[in-house]
Amino acid sequence: MSNYRRSYVNGGTWFFTVNLQNRQSDLLIRHIQTLRDAVRSVKRQKSFRINAWVILPEHMHCIWTLPENDSDYSGRWRDIKKTFTKGINASGIWQPRFWEHTIRNETDYRRHMDYVYINPVKHGWARLVKEWPYSTFHRDVRYGLYPEDWAGEVDSMDAGERK
């Protein structure tokens, strides 16, 4: 059994990858409103800032910043998973853990933001970042943080094809 340690920093910013157990499923986008409601509900109870988020059919990536006196992202993920699972009346849908990376500096932050937003293109779900509807990219375009045509058209062979 591995001795897995997570990095907890009050007020920290993290990049996360969360996967469904069935990597062929489309559950997350099929039940997108239930997922959004679960996140909204947990966010009301235990605040956090969503820096970026992209939801693909069977996994999602996001970047969060927690309040300065808080580092409990694990509890938030547990509650989001539980609320979503209950909302679709299912069980055993999530991989048991999630992957996290503590953001170290502005360069690391920018690199992970870009990774979140290019992910649907990388997996072949869209040819342009702006085509993928399940992403905070659209919010960040409205805020002027990214141009609408950011990354241009990417050939899925260059970005990593969906299998």
Side-chain angles (χ1 to χ4, degrees):
M1 185 146 182
S2 65
N3 185 10
Y4 187 78
R5 289 188 167 181
R6 295 200 182 275
S7 170
Y8 292 99
V9 178
N10 283 343
T13 300
W14 290 271
F15 166 83
F16 300 100
T17 300
V18 179
N19 297 306
L20 291 178
Q21 191 72 34
N22 177 358
R23 295 303 304 265
Q24 306 305 311
S25 176
D26 69 346
L27 207 59
L28 295 178
I29 59 173
R30 189 165 18 110
H31 296 285
I32 190 69
Q33 194 54 54
T34 305
L35 179 59
R36 287 176 174 153
D37 292 345
V39 171
R40 209 173 287 120
S41 172
V42 171
K43 198 168 180 280
R44 268 194 305 271
Q45 297 166 26
K46 302 174 181 178
S47 78
F48 59 96
R49 185 172 81 226
I50 296 171
N51 305 74
W53 204 310
V54 68
I55 299 158
L56 287 92
E58 82 305 342
H59 77 281
M60 54 188 159
H61 300 287
C62 58
I63 299 173
W64 296 352
T65 300
L66 269 54
E68 68 179 47
N69 61 344
D70 194 343
S71 65
D72 184 24
Y73 55 80
S74 292
R76 286 165 173 86
W77 275 120
R78 179 188 60 244
D79 293 348
I80 289 168
K81 287 177 168 185
K82 197 179 338 179
T83 302
F84 177 76
T85 301
K86 196 182 292 184
I88 64 168
N89 197 24
S91 64
I93 61 171
W94 299 101
Q95 284 188 359
R97 293 195 171 109
F98 55 87
W99 191 84
E100 106 282 335
H101 165 79
T102 306
I103 301 295
R104 296 181 303 270
N105 55 42
E106 191 60 37
T107 301
D108 193 31
Y109 178 78
R110 176 56 52 199
R111 196 170 60 247
H112 282 85
M113 289 286 291
D114 292 350
Y115 181 83
V116 167
Y117 290 148
I118 200 70
N119 213 257
V121 175
K122 173 186 170 201
H123 288 286
W125 293 107
R127 292 198 46 88
L128 298 168
V129 173
K130 70 180 179 180
E131 292 176 347
W132 189 249
Y134 313 110
S135 173
T136 56
F137 176 76
H138 309 286
R139 175 202 68 189
D140 287 353
V141 167
R142 285 192 306 276
Y143 291 165
L145 301 174
Y146 279 84
E148 186 178 29
D149 62 352
W150 178 77
E153 189 168 337
V154 179
D155 182 359
S156 65
M157 291 302 286
D158 295 334
E161 261 185 284
R162 171 172 35 113
K163 301 231 184 313

